[in-house]
Each structure stands twice: as structure tokens, then as C-alpha cells.
């Protein structure tokens, strides 16, 4: 239980709920362990809110005490289910993740002419509890663990009913979709793992039954690569029929076959065989968000740390894309370097500094495609040398150094 608590609090120690739990840590953990042992533990109420990132999502956050239980449960379930996952399933797994999924996608895009990009429609609201419990019983024999899984599932039943789109499948009666319990709360750690268990059936179907070697999945987004467009369309039809057994459907507008050279979207980026670009709507949305944070900070209504944290998170998202010039434009539009009475003055930085803002495209440095990281490193070394500028002016920051220097006061750069 202590290990589960340490995982649950990671990155959240400043939260009030975490501090309150930590004040009585040892009695709280012992009480929680006793409730799990005798089967009297019950999930607490969720806190629900909406986020608007690309699309409107209903997020449900469990109490911190329940999150400790989720981590403890995954410590039991992961060794049981992890060996059954395919290699190219990248969501919520140690050593995988979004960036490695994009790397794999681009690797296969270089060797295949077409790609079938697929998306399960309303996946989390559509997960059927009866089907999921059947998948859990195949591998779990301990009744207490099964009862704990079912308690967590029942606590989230109906939360996402407003997001669910009614669908009827073979053998259903008129009111069948209304009677069946469904839905995984978006925000639970267990929901991500249960989602992997649910769609692991699709993974094995595509790999073993359809014999598609170049297949990967990140939660409800998947991709199948091939040399024949008609063959991929046939694969799409068979996947649609198989998903009916899981009571799921494909998103009609987002599931289609692309040419790999056209740069299909995957996990927020447009992935081409030789480079990657940030989706245009994503960059517009973040630019507006950064402008809002800058205005609030200049007005004294928001701390400067919010601007820094926001931009550093954006750099983390775009660091695997060719976003060097994009990040320069976003910073220029945000008016960060304009004088302000509430912001300390800084010495001017080099007008072309900012090599840490993303990959400088390799073709601009004379290096072959695919060596963007090497190009960025060499560009940084070259720009670090002093140069005589005709019209010096305050410009963009180098390696986001401004955000760190603001916390420490002005210092000389260059």
C-alpha cells in the first residue's frame, strides 16, 4: 500500500487532498488495507468537469484515497495481463508511450505506401461492463480481486451516459442498449488499463487472424499499413464486424485509408515519412491559450510560473516534431518580450536564438532527412558563438532559458 501511495502522489504533493491524506498516512493506509482485505472498501464520489482540447471531454477525477487503491490494483493486474499484450500496443504501458507510438508509425510509413487510420467511436463511454468482466474472469481467479474490479466498474456506470451514442447490435432488442451497464470514467488509471484489456482482443484479431504485420494501437487509435489500398479497405470491413462482438463501432469520418506520403494525423501530429508537423488547429489553439496566460500574468491575475509551465509542456509535446519555426512564431505573437512594469527587464538575446524550441528542419542545415536531432545540436553550437548584428532587438529565448531566469532574476546571457 505504501508503494501504491508513493505512485499516486507523484507530481501531486502540492494538492490539498494529498496533503490531508499524508497528515495521517500510516493510520490511513492501514485502514485502507483492512477494508480491501475484508471487502468493505467502497469507491468515493467522483469530481467531474469538462475540458476542451480538440474536442469536448467529460473528465471524472476519483478521490485521492481511491487513486491509491487503483495503483495497488494495477500492481496485481499488470503481471497477469502484460505478457498477453502485443508489442505494438503503446498506451499506459511501461517503456511505451505516445512518442514511441509516433516513432513506430513513421517507421512503417517509410516502408508502406498506404495506411488505414482507425478510431473507435466514443470508446470510453461505450465499453460494456458485461463484456469487460468476462475478459477479466478469463485470467483472474481470485474472487476478491474480481469483486474489487467490479466495484470500480460499477462506480463509473452511467457517468458518461450523456456522451454515449446509442447503437444496436445483432440480437439486441429495442431497449437492450439502455439496460446494459457501460462506461469507463475518463481520468481513472484503471480505465486506461481496462481499455487495453478490452481492445487487446482487437489486437490479436488483426495480428493473428488478419495477418497484418504492420499494425499498432494507442488506446482507441490504431493504424494498419500495407501496399494495397483495396486490401486495407477489406481489413476495415472485417474490423468493423469484429468490433460488433465488443459492442463497439468505428468512427466513419476518421477511419479511412491514406497515402503515407500525404501525412495522416496520428496522436496530434501529421506524420510524413521524412518529417512531422504539428496539427494546424492545435497550434492555433495553443497560441490563443498562451496569449491569455501572458495577459493574465501582466495584469497580476496569474503567476508567471503558469506561463512558464504552459510553454514547457508545449515544448514537451512538440519536441518530436519539426516545430522550430512554429514555436518562434507562437512566442513572437504572444508578446512575451514586450516591456512590462510587472515583469523584470532582461538583456536582449540573440535574434536567432531559440534552438531548443523544436527541431530545425534538417534540409536547412545541409544534413540528410532523419538527422533532425543532430542538426539541432549543431545549430545550437553555431548560434552560441557571438555574432555582430546590425539591428539588435529583444527576441526569442534560447532553450526556454527566459522561463528559468525569470525565477532567479536577470542574468547575463551570451
Amino acid at each position: 500500500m505504501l508503494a501504491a501511495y508513493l505512485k499516486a502522489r507523484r507530481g501531486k504533493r502540492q494538492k490539498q487532498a494529498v496533503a490531508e491524506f499524508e497528515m495521517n498516512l500510516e493510520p490511513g493506509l492501514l485502514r485502507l488495507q483492512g477494508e480491501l482485505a475484508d471487502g468493505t472498501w467502497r469507491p468515493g464520489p467522483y469530481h467531474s468537469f469538462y475540458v476542451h482540447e480538440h474536442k469536448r471531454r467529460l473528465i471524472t477525477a476519483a478521490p485521492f484515497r481511491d487513486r491509491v487503491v487503483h495503483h495497488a490494483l494495477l500492481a496485481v493486474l499488470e503481471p497477469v495481463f502484460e505478457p498477453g499484450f502485443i508489442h505494438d500496443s503503446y498506451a499506459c504501458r511501461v517503456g511505451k508511450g505516445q512518442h514511441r507510438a509516433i516513432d513506430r508509425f513513421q517507421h512503417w510509413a517509410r516502408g508502406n505506401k498506404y495506411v488505414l487510420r482507425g478510431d473507435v467511436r466514443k470508446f470510453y463511454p461505450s465499453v460494456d461492463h458485461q463484456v469487460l468482466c468476462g475478459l477479466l474472469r478469463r485470467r483472474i481467479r481470485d474472487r476478491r480481486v474480481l469483486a474489487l474490479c467490479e466495484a470500480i466498474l460499477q462506480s463509473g456506470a452511467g457517468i458518461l451516459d450523456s456522451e454515449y451514442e446509442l447503437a444496436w447490435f445483432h440480437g439486441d432488442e429495442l431497449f437492450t442498449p439502455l439496460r446494459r451497464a457501460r462506461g469507463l470514467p475518463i481520468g481513472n488509471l484503471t480505465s486506461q488499463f481496462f481499455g487495453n484489456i478490452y481492445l487487446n482482443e482487437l489486437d490479436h484479431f488483426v495480428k493473428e487472424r488478419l495477418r497484418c504485420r504492420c499494425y499498432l494501437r494507442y488506446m482507441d487509435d490504431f493504424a494498419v499499413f500495407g501496399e494495397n489500398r483495396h486490401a486495407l479497405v477489406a481489413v476495415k470491413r472485417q474490423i468493423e464486424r469484429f468490433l460488433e462482438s465488443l459492442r463497439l463501432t468505428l468512427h466513419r469520418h476518421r477511419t479511412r485509408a491514406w497515402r503515407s506520403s500525404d501525412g495522416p494525423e496520428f496522436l496530434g501530429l501529421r506524420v510524413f515519412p521524412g518529417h512531422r508537423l504539428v496539427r494546424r488547429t492545435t497550434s492555433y489553439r495553443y497560441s490563443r491559450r498562451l496569449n491569455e496566460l501572458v495577459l493574465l500574468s501582466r495584469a497580476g491575475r496569474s503567476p508567471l510560473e503558469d506561463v512558464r509551465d504552459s510553454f514547457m509542456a508545449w515544448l514537451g509535446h512538440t519536441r518530436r516534431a519539426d516545430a522550430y519555426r512554429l514555436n518562434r512564431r507562437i512566442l513572437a505573437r504572444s508578446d512575451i518580450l514586450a516591456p512590462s512594469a510587472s515583469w523584470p527587464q532582461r538583456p536582449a538575446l540573440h535574434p536567432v536564438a531559440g534552438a531548443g524550441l523544436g527541431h530545425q528542419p534538417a534540409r536547412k542545415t545541409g544534413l540528410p532527412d532523419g538527422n533532425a536531432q543532430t542538426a539541432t545540436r549543431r545549430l545550437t553550437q553555431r548560434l552560441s558563438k557571438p555574432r555582430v548584428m546590425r539591428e539588435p532587438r529583444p527576441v526569442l529565448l534560447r532553450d526556454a532559458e527566459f522561463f528559468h531566469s525569470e525565477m532567479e532574476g536577470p542574468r547575463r546571457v551570451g
Side-chain angles (χ1 to χ4, degrees):
M1 294 303 298
L2 179 60
Y5 159 74
L6 294 176
K7 290 181 179 179
R9 80 170 188 182
R10 189 177 300 164
K12 302 180 180 66
R13 295 197 68 180
Q14 73 279 10
K15 301 292 185 179
Q16 179 180 352
V18 181
E20 292 175 353
F21 189 88
E22 192 167 356
M23 287 181 62
N24 298 291
L25 180 60
E26 185 175 354
L29 291 179
L30 291 175
R31 189 182 310 112
L32 197 57
Q33 184 178 16
E35 293 178 5
L36 292 174
D38 56 26
T40 59
W41 176 83
R42 292 295 179 268
Y46 287 97
H47 168 63
S48 300
F49 56 93
Y50 284 96
V51 297
H52 300 266
E53 296 180 357
H54 179 51
K55 59 183 179 181
R56 189 169 180 259
R57 294 178 183 272
L58 177 61
I59 306 298
T60 52
F64 179 76
R65 188 171 185 267
D66 291 359
R67 278 177 266 164
V68 176
V69 176
H70 296 170
H71 280 276
L73 177 62
L74 288 194
V76 176
L77 296 182
E78 280 183 349
V80 177
F81 287 95
E82 182 68 26
F85 294 154
I86 65 170
H87 174 76
D88 289 305
S89 172
Y90 289 91
C92 193
R93 297 180 64 192
V94 178
K96 303 292 184 177
Q98 181 176 349
H99 290 159
R100 295 204 176 186
I102 295 174
D103 291 341
R104 189 67 159 174
F105 186 98
Q106 188 173 47
H107 169 73
W108 275 334
R110 291 169 180 164
N112 295 274
K113 191 174 182 180
Y114 296 99
V115 54
L116 173 66
R117 272 282 294 110
D119 182 17
V120 179
R121 186 181 64 154
K122 300 290 185 182
F123 171 64
Y124 281 106
S126 303
V127 171
D128 189 88
H129 289 188
Q130 183 177 340
V131 176
L132 178 57
C133 288
L135 297 176
L136 292 173
R137 293 191 188 98
R138 289 185 189 176
R139 306 294 299 272
I140 301 175
R141 295 292 180 264
D142 192 297
R143 294 183 179 179
R144 292 181 299 176
V145 175
L146 283 173
L148 181 59
C149 294
E150 292 175 357
I152 294 175
L153 287 176
Q154 292 172 5
S155 69
I159 289 181
L160 297 179
D161 279 352
S162 60
E163 307 292 315
Y164 178 69
E165 298 177 4
L166 289 177
W168 283 262
F169 300 93
H170 180 72
D172 282 357
E173 298 178 354
L174 179 61
F175 295 104
T176 298
L178 301 177
R179 298 193 190 105
R180 298 181 72 98
R182 60 179 177 271
L184 294 178
I186 301 177
N188 276 6
L189 180 64
T190 52
S191 297
Q192 302 176 41
F193 191 78
F194 288 156
N196 266 346
I197 296 174
Y198 205 83
L199 288 182
N200 187 49
E201 302 299 307
L202 173 64
D203 298 340
H204 285 280
F205 173 76
V206 175
K207 293 287 255 185
E208 299 168 7
R209 298 282 298 277
L210 302 184
R211 300 292 182 180
C212 296
R213 183 178 63 88
C214 299
Y215 164 83
L216 65 91
R217 180 180 61 82
Y218 185 91
M219 199 46 68
D220 58 332
D221 294 318
F222 65 88
V224 185
F225 293 83
E227 292 295 324
N228 190 305
R229 186 187 188 97
H230 298 290
L232 291 179
V233 172
V235 168
K236 173 188 172 183
R237 296 195 191 99
Q238 295 184 46
I239 290 177
E240 285 179 325
R241 288 195 291 268
F242 177 80
L243 286 178
E244 290 183 2
S245 64
L246 299 177
R247 303 189 66 83
L248 298 174
T249 57
L250 290 179
H251 198 293
R252 292 185 178 181
H253 302 296
R254 297 178 186 170
T255 304
R256 51 168 291 197
W258 295 72
R259 282 182 177 270
S260 299
S261 57
D262 290 342
E265 292 184 1
F266 187 66
L267 302 183
L269 299 179
R270 290 193 64 192
V271 184
F272 295 84
H275 63 285
R276 309 167 190 173
L277 300 177
V278 179
R279 188 167 47 194
R280 183 173 299 180
T281 55
T282 302
S283 63
Y284 287 160
R285 185 167 57 251
Y286 178 73
S287 182
R288 290 194 297 268
R289 173 59 178 164
L290 184 62
N291 288 337
E292 294 173 359
L293 289 175
V294 171
L295 292 176
L296 290 174
S297 181
R298 288 183 181 279
R301 298 168 55 188
S302 177
L304 184 61
E305 289 86 346
D306 289 353
V307 182
R308 181 198 62 188
D309 294 344
S310 175
F311 188 69
M312 296 304 291
W314 172 255
L315 286 182
H317 174 66
T318 60
R319 64 187 293 267
R320 296 298 183 100
D322 299 309
Y324 176 85
R325 293 180 182 83
L326 170 65
N327 288 333
R328 289 188 58 174
R329 288 196 298 270
I330 289 177
L331 285 175
R333 293 169 184 165
S334 66
D335 200 28
I336 286 180
L337 296 181
S340 173
S342 60
W343 285 19
Q345 298 297 314
R346 303 164 305 282
L349 300 180
H350 195 283
V352 292
L357 303 182
H359 285 171
Q360 175 76 353
R363 59 181 178 276
K364 297 298 183 181
T365 62
L367 295 175
D369 290 342
N371 290 335
Q373 292 182 348
T374 304
T376 302
R377 185 172 61 254
R378 294 181 181 178
L379 181 66
T380 305
Q381 296 172 355
R382 179 162 56 86
L383 295 179
S384 62
K385 299 179 181 179
R387 296 173 60 184
V388 178
M389 304 302 298
R390 295 181 180 179
E391 298 180 6
R393 62 186 186 279
V395 291
L396 307 178
L397 35 143
R398 179 176 54 208
D399 294 327
E401 186 169 359
F402 159 66
F403 294 101
H404 297 288
S405 63
E406 286 292 347
M407 301 298 101
E408 303 171 2
R411 63 179 179 180
R412 187 174 182 179
V413 179

